[in-house]
Amino acid sequence: MQDVAAALQAVQARIRSAEERFGRAPGSVALLAVTKTRPPEDLRAAFAAGQRAFGENYVSEALGKMGALEDLAIEWHFIGPVQSNKTRPIAERFAWVHSVDREKVARRLAEQRPAGLPPLQVCLEVNVSGEESKSGVAPGELPALARTVVGLPRLRLRGLMAVPAPGEDFELQRQAFRSLRELFEGLRAEGLPLDTLSMGMSGDLEAAVAEGSTLVRVGTAIFGPR
Ligand SMILES: *Cc1c(COP(=O)(O)O)cnc(C)c1O
């Protein structure tokens, strides 16, 4: 197992140096630790090193870890595909969901979010790479979905998320993130109060920071290969 605390520090250093290199305000990019397939002990190690926000992709796996880590004040983010029959545990147990990509799912989350909890923080997942990915709303359908979600009770629309097709070329990475940023700016220009661009992973976080990411989602670079 890799030294989680040291790896976490190295990722924080990458983020800080990208902020500096691309003229971003220091501390303007947050880190979400992505823990799909990782045992609870890995989350415990990252928590002990100061990490508080964790991202999970699969509902049943996440529920198991929540049970094992009840003693820790973790902020749980759901980042995987949302099946419409699995919305209830997401609405009840998570603080954030990054991967809402259709109205039906948004409406169910709004109905199922318990009134005693703060609003569920929502990002809309956008398919910026075209055919290659099946999840994510098409860019052309994003504005209508965003207007609907903003009007739903117990949800707070925070921003956009994307997982572009993987590739090593820095300029191509930037291009995909730029298209997400432009969609984000378009919605803000319409008056939607968005403040979160959830983009960038282990292999492309610098390109994402260059294009305005406010939150990078990193697994492999912290916990080793899956
Ligand atoms: C797995 C995953 C990540 C983290 O990817 P790494 O390459 O391991 O950093 C980020 N976002 C989503 C949606 C993921 O599924």
Side-chain angles (χ1 to χ4, degrees):
M1 195 184 95
Q2 106 168 40
D3 180 345
V4 167
L8 195 56
Q9 225 174 25
V11 169
Q12 290 286 10
R14 272 177 72 186
I15 295 170
R16 302 287 91 87
S17 96
E19 284 171 347
E20 194 176 316
R21 175 170 161 210
F22 298 107
R24 302 287 309 281
S28 56
V29 181
L31 173 61
L32 179 68
V34 174
T35 45
K36 57 173 174 274
T37 79
R38 309 292 177 184
E41 302 76 68
D42 280 12
L43 286 81
R44 221 173 252 292
F47 188 93
Q51 182 65 29
R52 293 294 176 269
F54 290 85
E56 288 282 339
N57 290 62
Y58 309 105
V59 170
S60 57
E61 183 190 335
L63 293 177
K65 286 180 219 178
M66 287 173 178
L69 299 168
E70 265 168 353
D71 55 315
L72 305 183
I74 286 176
E75 181 179 271
W76 293 100
H77 293 232
F78 191 79
I79 63 172
V82 185
Q83 294 167 256
S84 56
N85 62 346
K86 295 251 181 76
T87 50
R88 186 174 294 281
I90 296 173
E92 292 181 349
R93 303 294 299 275
F94 285 81
W96 282 71
V97 52
H98 293 232
S99 39
V100 171
D101 63 359
R102 55 198 192 281
E103 184 177 331
K104 181 181 181 188
V105 158
R107 289 192 184 283
R108 290 178 68 94
L109 290 170
E111 278 162 22
Q112 293 167 344
R113 180 68 169 177
L117 293 181
L120 182 62
Q121 310 296 305
V122 171
C123 290
L124 302 179
E125 181 176 357
V126 184
N127 183 352
V128 289
S129 305
E131 315 278 271
E132 292 154 65
S133 148
K134 283 197 202 81
S135 44
V137 61
E141 291 164 20
L142 172 67
L145 179 62
R147 285 180 217 119
T148 300
V149 172
V150 153
L152 292 174
R154 295 191 286 283
L155 304 185
R156 180 161 167 226
L157 183 60
R158 296 293 297 271
L160 303 181
M161 184 273 248
V163 185
E168 306 264 294
D169 184 88
F170 187 70
E171 285 308 318
L172 291 178
Q173 292 175 352
R174 279 190 72 153
Q175 250 172 50
F177 293 134
R178 188 176 312 134
S179 56
L180 192 68
R181 173 170 52 82
E182 288 169 357
L183 292 165
F184 176 79
E185 285 169 356
L187 295 174
R188 280 165 53 106
E190 275 191 37
L192 300 191
L194 308 185
D195 63 6
T196 301
L197 259 177
S198 168
M199 59 188 199
M201 318 199 310
S202 295
D204 57 14
L205 73 86
E206 283 82 4
V209 171
E211 292 297 338
S213 173
T214 66
L215 182 151
V216 293
R217 308 177 311 271
V218 177
T220 309
I222 301 172
F223 301 104
R226 283 183 290 276

